[in-house]
Amino acid sequence: MSTSIAEHFAPLRDPRIERNKLYPLMEILLLVVCAMLSGAEGWEAIEEFGKNKLEWLRKFAPFANGIPSHDRVADVIARLNPKTFQACFRSWTRAVAEVTDGEFIAIDGKTARGSRDRRRGRHALHMVSAWGSRNRLVLGQESTEEKSNEITAIPKLLELLELKGCIVSIDAM
């Protein structure tokens, strides 16, 4: 089974009109996934990661126009279909997990810093993540419902992952 990001994310439709495609969608996705897996937190950190790792990223994609700005990356990612993105990401992480032959999975929740929007009356985003220790990779995430806690999101996340042959630790339980 292939672990190519391009193959697993191919079903994602690029939301931009043709004349606004200075940076190919697959390059933006590769940048975001690699930066996040490397610990980047926020759009500026993703841009900085890209600039620092441009030569390495070019081993996987041309990046002919360099690294997009953090605003451009945020705009493109915000306009993607979240369910399709989740399905593509899940497909890719399953392929990676299959190649690794199982591992230890740690489940924990975190609140996304800076995600609260008081002006629009939105609470901070709280996500429950499944961390694959062998790959040092987030295998999946599920947001908690407003005015709820992690315990309601954990069964949904476990169902999405369909884990087999793994040891799972759950901090919230």
Side-chain angles (χ1 to χ4, degrees):
M1 175 175 271
S2 171
T3 58
S4 163
I5 288 176
E7 287 180 38
H8 289 275
F9 283 87
L12 266 176
R13 187 185 66 75
D14 194 331
R16 301 171 292 169
I17 57 176
E18 202 57 44
R19 71 176 183 266
N20 291 338
K21 293 183 182 180
L22 185 60
Y23 303 95
L25 180 61
M26 283 305 145
E27 288 182 3
I28 293 172
L29 292 171
L30 178 65
L31 170 64
V32 169
V33 169
C34 290
M36 297 301 289
L37 292 175
S38 298
E41 294 183 12
W43 303 118
E44 292 88 359
I46 290 171
E47 179 183 5
E48 183 179 339
F49 171 88
K51 288 178 178 177
N52 290 334
K53 302 292 184 182
L54 181 57
E55 292 310 310
W56 178 79
L57 287 166
R58 283 185 168 148
K59 292 179 182 179
F60 309 102
F63 287 89
N65 295 312
I67 298 298
S69 72
H70 62 274
D71 289 331
R72 174 80 42 106
V73 172
D75 179 59
V76 171
I77 297 299
R79 294 171 59 203
L80 293 174
N81 180 305
K83 293 290 183 191
T84 306
F85 182 88
Q86 182 181 38
C88 294
F89 188 77
R90 213 172 43 240
S91 170
W92 177 69
T93 56
R94 280 188 188 137
V96 170
E98 189 174 305
V99 169
T100 64
D101 193 31
E103 62 178 283
F104 180 85
I105 309 297
I107 296 183
D108 194 17
K110 298 284 183 235
T111 301
R113 198 169 89 199
S115 63
R116 182 175 182 186
D117 188 347
R118 290 177 194 208
R119 197 175 54 161
R120 292 190 176 113
R122 294 185 183 154
H123 295 280
L125 176 64
H126 190 76
M127 300 290 290
V128 176
S129 301
W131 173 259
S133 62
R134 184 183 303 167
N135 292 328
R136 301 180 66 191
L137 169 70
V138 174
L139 300 174
Q141 292 184 312
E142 184 70 33
S143 63
T144 62
E145 293 181 26
E146 215 170 283
K147 302 191 189 265
S148 183
N149 60 33
E150 295 174 12
I151 294 172
T152 61
I154 290 171
K156 293 177 189 174
L157 178 59
L158 291 173
E159 185 178 339
L160 285 174
L161 295 175
E162 299 178 18
L163 300 173
K164 292 180 181 153
C166 300
I167 297 173
V168 178
S169 74
I170 302 174
D171 184 43
M173 301 304 277

